Amino acid sequence: MKINVQESLDTKQEVLVLGLFDEDNELFKKSNEPLSKELEDAIKKKLFEREFGKTYSTSIKDSVYKSILVISLGKKQELSIERIRRSMQRTVDYLRKRKYSSFTTNILNISDLAPKELGRAATEGLMLSDYVFDKYKSKKDDRPELKAVFQYPDNKAKELLEGISQGKIIADATNYAKDLVNEPAIVVNPDYIESEAKKLSKHPRIKVKIMNKKELEQKGLNLILAVSAGSDHDPRLILIEYNNAPKGMTAIVGKGITFDSGGYDIKPAGQFADMKCDMSGAAAVLGTIKAASELGLKQNILGVIPTCENLINGSAIKPGDIVKAYNGKTIEIMNTDAEGRLVLADAIAYAEKNYAPEIIIDLATLTGACVVALGYYVAGFVSNDEKLGSMLVKAGNDSYDRVWQFPFFEEYQDNMDGDISDLKNISPKGKGREAGSITGGVFISKFVNLDKTKWAHIDIAGTAYLAEAKEYNQKYASGSGVRLLSYYFMG
Ligand code: BES
Ligand code: ZN
Ligand code: ZN
């Protein structure tokens, strides 16, 4: 995507994209009389509505542009950063459908939003919308690179451009995470996740450490080993350090189950195909560290990825098996399909003991219960720290990669206690389904030193892999978590 900024509209581009507020009763009368007449007529005939996001397109005879797209922006007062992203989605959608490849627009120019945020959001909207996963299509659409020219005042262009370059990095990292998740599990296995992590270490501020099966055995990360026991691919614990601050460290931990069959508690037929998405937490961690390093954020971030497959063979774990975790706690595995919390537990305990981060944020496609509670538009989280919680909510609202806090009341805290072991991996209440997302968080919390460490567990089971396309998100992988964490770290 090429994006330029200039004081006036650029008549050399194919399409003119005009934003129209509810208050604009003149309908471009002064600047474009024929367009104004046509719009008036279209509104009368209800071919064009003044509701946010509705569009009208036309080609005016003798115009310098091949086509004009008018986008309703709603009330000027209500124009938000998210509406900017969405108006860019309308633009990309129109250009791709009609096979145009360049446009110029006044939309940024007529908004009062702060230039940096505006440039960032417009760029995100364009680049996220233009994503396709077509590598397995024999016949691909011809998709030339798009070019955008934003009309914007010269005296504020520098800040806008800063936002545009941030937006490019963030959208690119999000699209990278989408690719990782959309790619089938036959390709994206633990070896592949390892090689993607190693690619990040080309950056001078990034160091990558891979713990292989032997080291996991030596150090006693038996929960990761137990989950991977039924797979032909060796498990890994991947540790990625991005260091660019004098002190402080935040660990981001991503569930990297490259395929979740459920194990002996096998999933019902028809619920398997999507389970390649069970490494979306890992994709979010890789994407966030890629973005943070390219943005040059002044942060120390430790990326932690436990990765393996949850499959079945003669060595696979069985319901009722008891396994000793890295931190010494014993776990009775009541349900082999509640595997995400097991690999996260070892990964988090290992990261805390060996790296002592002040903050730990884990992201996981952990429970179907979270999808039941919240659907696909917002991720659920629990946390032991109010400030961390509100920072995540703010980052979610600003990036629109949103999160919603679940309660973490005292009454839930013994739900995972064991009968013949220290812990069980599902709550006996409703076979793990009653308050399922919260009790998953309770289990993980037993592997964090809650007196010392600020922690949040984000369940992205709904947001990571979408049942249908919506705005600038395509069907399937969304890259959920990358924008959330990038905005969180940008502050
Ligand atoms: N990977 C699944 C959760 C999931 C469900 C992710 C839907 C994406 C979409 C997880 O490992 C799982 O199977 N969880 C169980 C937990 C239960 C046994 C307590 C579930 O949600 O059924
Ligand atoms: Zn599972
Ligand atoms: Zn899973």
Side-chain angles (χ1 to χ4, degrees):
M1 182 93 48
K2 279 202 198 80
I3 303 177
N4 289 346
V5 179
Q6 63 177 51
E7 184 98 34
S8 55
L9 288 165
D10 184 357
T11 52
K12 292 190 294 300
Q13 309 311 319
E14 291 172 308
V15 181
L16 170 64
V17 179
L18 293 171
L20 184 68
F21 289 119
D22 283 358
E23 295 85 347
D24 298 334
N25 295 319
E26 296 260 298
L27 302 169
F28 313 110
K29 199 173 222 147
K30 286 193 199 104
S31 54
N32 195 330
E33 179 84 40
L35 174 66
S36 184
K37 285 220 171 82
E38 199 178 321
L39 280 178
E40 208 172 306
D41 198 43
I43 292 167
K44 266 191 213 132
K45 290 185 182 147
K46 297 210 165 30
L47 295 169
F48 177 46
E49 288 164 73
R50 308 291 293 273
E51 188 188 312
F52 174 79
K54 298 279 188 207
T55 59
Y56 181 80
S57 60
T58 181
S59 359
I60 304 277
K61 205 170 146 268
D62 301 328
S63 166
V64 287
Y65 301 103
K66 286 188 184 157
S67 173
I68 299 177
L69 176 72
V70 180
I71 305 179
S72 272
L73 293 181
K75 291 201 182 69
K76 181 153 190 182
Q77 270 279 315
E78 289 170 13
L79 185 68
S80 60
I81 284 297
E82 175 60 8
R83 285 193 162 184
I84 293 292
R85 291 188 191 97
R86 292 179 183 196
S87 65
M88 292 301 125
Q89 184 276 331
R90 303 299 188 276
T91 305
V92 170
D93 187 53
Y94 178 75
L95 263 73
R96 288 305 188 195
K97 270 192 189 130
R98 303 292 180 94
K99 304 222 175 295
Y100 293 120
S101 60
S102 71
F103 73 97
T104 186
T105 184
N106 72 339
I107 291 182
L108 281 67
N109 197 40
I110 59 175
S111 104
D112 295 330
L113 296 161
K116 195 158 69 277
E117 283 74 18
L118 183 64
R120 191 196 294 151
T123 308
E124 286 174 0
L126 290 174
M127 290 179 59
L128 293 173
S129 304
D130 203 31
Y131 172 87
V132 282
F133 186 71
D134 62 358
K135 73 182 270 199
Y136 294 102
K137 285 273 189 198
S138 314
K139 219 173 142 270
K140 298 185 198 359
D141 284 347
D142 184 26
R143 296 169 56 85
E145 188 184 15
L146 294 185
K147 177 171 183 191
V149 181
F150 295 149
Q151 180 189 19
Y152 207 66
D154 278 346
N155 62 345
K156 294 190 286 179
K158 193 168 161 262
E159 275 180 275
L160 189 82
L161 283 163
E162 242 174 78
I164 290 170
S165 38
Q166 289 180 336
K168 275 187 182 163
I169 291 170
I170 295 167
D172 194 44
T174 308
N175 288 339
Y176 162 74
K178 291 187 207 173
D179 271 346
L180 279 175
V181 176
N182 281 328
E183 190 72 55
I186 192 173
V187 177
V188 173
N189 54 31
D191 313 347
Y192 191 96
I193 304 271
E194 169 180 327
S195 64
E196 287 305 301
K198 281 184 175 160
K199 278 188 202 162
L200 288 176
S201 67
K202 284 194 201 116
H203 191 282
R205 296 196 173 276
I206 296 180
K207 274 198 301 234
V208 175
K209 188 178 162 218
I210 311 285
M211 284 172 73
N212 60 22
K213 189 175 176 192
K214 209 164 140 221
E215 283 170 273
L216 298 175
E217 282 165 354
Q218 281 164 353
K219 301 236 159 74
L221 284 86
N222 298 320
L223 293 178
I224 300 180
L225 292 162
V227 172
S228 76
S231 161
D232 289 343
H233 292 286
D234 278 359
R236 313 278 199 292
L237 180 65
I238 300 171
L239 299 139
I240 311 163
E241 274 182 89
Y242 168 69
N243 287 312
N244 198 16
K247 60 178 174 45
M249 181 196 277
T250 301
I252 52 175
V253 188
K255 173 177 175 183
I257 298 294
T258 57
F259 189 77
D260 181 12
S261 72
Y264 277 106
D265 285 289
I266 195 161
K267 289 186 180 294
Q271 287 185 27
F272 281 92
D274 291 354
M275 281 305 133
K276 66 174 182 181
C277 83
D278 218 15
M279 36 58 71
S280 295
V285 166
L286 291 169
T288 301
I289 293 182
K290 178 173 150 65
S293 63
E294 289 170 15
L295 290 165
L297 296 185
K298 298 277 176 257
Q299 296 275 355
N300 298 322
I301 306 172
L302 172 69
V304 184
I305 300 175
T307 180
C308 66
E309 289 181 321
N310 186 20
L311 294 184
I312 304 171
N313 65 16
S315 316
I317 39 163
K318 299 164 287 295
D321 284 353
I322 297 180
V323 181
K324 192 178 214 156
Y326 174 75
N327 73 351
K329 290 190 179 164
T330 55
I331 322 298
E332 188 180 7
I333 297 174
M334 304 295 290
N335 189 319
T336 59
D337 199 9
E339 84 299 337
R341 59 198 70 186
L342 299 174
V343 298
L344 287 170
D346 264 355
I348 288 175
Y350 185 86
E352 189 169 56
K353 178 142 190 247
N354 295 282
Y355 293 82
E358 283 89 357
I359 303 172
I360 298 178
I361 302 170
D362 75 76
L363 297 104
T365 44
L366 207 79
T367 66
C370 187
V371 194
V372 173
L374 299 176
Y376 293 94
Y377 307 131
V378 56
F381 79 96
V382 292
S383 176
N384 66 340
D385 187 77
E386 219 172 285
K387 189 167 161 234
L388 174 59
S390 55
M391 282 172 75
L392 286 170
V393 170
K394 182 174 185 318
N397 291 342
D398 291 347
S399 63
Y400 227 71
D401 186 3
R402 291 171 299 173
V403 293
W404 190 263
Q405 188 161 13
F406 288 135
F408 209 50
F409 298 140
E410 179 195 340
E411 286 82 349
Y412 299 113
Q413 304 303 323
D414 61 3
N415 281 201
M416 309 302 288
D417 290 358
D419 298 323
I420 58 168
S421 60
D422 298 332
L423 292 166
K424 294 176 181 173
N425 78 329
I426 62 165
S427 158
K429 298 185 176 168
K431 294 194 173 125
R433 293 210 166 72
E434 186 179 311
S437 190
I438 297 169
T439 55
V442 167
F443 182 88
I444 295 168
S445 76
K446 307 292 180 192
F447 297 83
V448 182
N449 182 348
L450 295 174
D451 298 329
K452 216 177 79 204
T453 309
K454 300 181 176 100
W455 162 76
H457 155 67
I458 309 176
D459 196 332
I460 55 172
T463 52
Y465 202 72
L466 307 176
E468 55 190 46
K470 183 100 182 144
E471 301 296 344
Y472 44 80
N473 287 318
Q474 293 74 27
K475 190 178 177 183
Y476 303 134
S478 69
S480 157
V482 177
R483 275 187 298 141
L484 171 73
L485 292 180
S486 299
Y487 275 63
Y488 168 83
F489 285 121
M490 276 192 300

